[in-house]
Amino acid sequence: EVQLVQSGGEVKKPGQSLRISCKGSGYTFASNWIGWVRQKPGSGLEWMAIIYPGDSDRTYNPSFQGLVTISVDKSLSTVYLQWRSLKASDTAIYYCVRQGHHTSGSSFDYWGQGTLVTVSS
Amino acid sequence: DIQLTQSPSSVSASVGDRVTITCRASQGIRISLAWYQQRPGQAPKLLISATSTLQSGVPSRFSGGGSGTDFSLTISSLQPEDFATYYCQQVSSFPYTFGQGTKLDIK
């Protein structure tokens, strides 16, 4: 069974750094792109970034470029999303997603359970 | 960026009703469109990929259609568990974008 299991919720202060994680299992981890989607409270979905574990190739949404870093540890089957300096506006639920192969439409076919990040002084 | 505009933004309907949600893209995306369902407090769930391919386990009352810039999601006979928010998404080009969502609630 394919699973994406995310790290637990975080409460941070503005200016602090943070790394959240997403561990994949139940499939060949290196062969599907893994991305992150943000959902602010009461709002819609925003795609942030995506990485290919096989070769660490990555693409960012320009709206998030320079604000976050996506990375992968293939040996741990884990993808990370990192902030160097959090802002209150980063408060949101962050979902990791697996992108299906081109032959199945390239949609986000599996989602993690979400990680709530709260940034407050 | 490709903008996706869903309509309506919200709709009230009754169990057994037929409901159609539309999604218009700001430029052609072939059939590279997906639909997701999000129930309160849950992660979104993929319903339909490539405009009309129903995912395994998704009831056949859900169907998708369209191509180019105009797409639709139809629920043929609403069930209580269908009351949720629905999002379309384009995966034609980066940055991937979502529609603003359509909230479907009980009349």
Side-chain angles (χ1 to χ4, degrees):
Chain A
E1 178 198 3
V2 174
Q3 282 193 309
L4 298 174
V5 178
Q6 298 183 226
S7 49
E10 302 273 0
V11 179
K12 292 287 188 179
K13 295 187 185 323
Q16 289 186 322
S17 62
L18 174 65
R19 189 177 77 167
I20 61 175
S21 66
C22 169
K23 183 175 176 61
S25 63
Y27 72 101
T28 303
F29 181 73
S31 63
N32 286 78
W33 292 79
I34 297 283
W36 291 94
V37 172
R38 182 175 79 175
Q39 187 168 40
K40 290 189 167 187
S43 294
L45 306 170
E46 302 170 273
W47 170 72
M48 301 174 71
I50 201 162
I51 191 165
Y52 188 70
D55 61 5
S56 297
D57 187 19
R58 69 202 77 189
T59 300
Y60 291 92
N61 183 331
S63 296
F64 292 93
Q65 181 93 45
L67 302 178
V68 296
T69 301
I70 190 170
S71 60
V72 63
D73 186 330
K74 204 163 61 170
S75 68
L76 297 178
S77 299
T78 299
V79 172
Y80 302 96
L81 186 67
Q82 184 173 336
W83 293 258
R84 271 199 257 178
S85 180
L86 287 159
K87 308 183 195 67
S89 57
D90 293 317
T91 295
I93 296 173
Y94 294 86
Y95 294 103
C96 69
V97 294
R98 189 187 85 158
Q99 184 172 30
H101 292 129
H102 176 72
T103 50
S104 60
S106 301
S107 313
F108 295 166
D109 58 0
Y110 287 91
W111 294 63
Q113 83 275 21
T115 296
L116 175 60
V117 174
T118 304
V119 184
S120 174
S121 54
Chain B
D1 298 6
I2 296 174
Q3 292 197 348
L4 297 179
T5 303
Q6 289 182 231
S7 60
S9 295
S10 65
V11 57
S12 295
S14 301
V15 172
D17 282 355
R18 179 184 180 92
V19 167
T20 296
I21 299 167
T22 65
C23 178
R24 174 162 286 176
S26 59
Q27 62 191 76
I29 57 171
R30 303 180 302 278
I31 59 166
S32 300
L33 189 101
W35 290 96
Y36 300 87
Q37 176 193 66
Q38 187 177 32
R39 297 187 177 117
Q42 295 186 15
K45 170 189 169 185
L46 177 64
L47 297 176
I48 289 173
S49 64
T51 295
S52 59
T53 301
L54 206 62
Q55 296 304 291
S56 175
V58 175
S60 59
R61 61 181 179 273
F62 290 90
S63 63
S67 69
T69 60
D70 293 303
F71 302 86
S72 63
L73 171 71
T74 297
I75 310 172
S76 60
S77 177
L78 279 169
Q79 298 302 301
E81 60 269 28
D82 300 338
F83 292 95
T85 300
Y86 293 85
Y87 295 94
C88 59
Q89 179 208 20
Q90 66 83 17
V91 289
S92 174
S93 63
F94 292 126
Y96 297 150
T97 48
F98 291 89
Q100 81 279 16
T102 295
K103 186 175 181 184
L104 173 54
D105 58 26
I106 301 175
K107 189 185 286 185

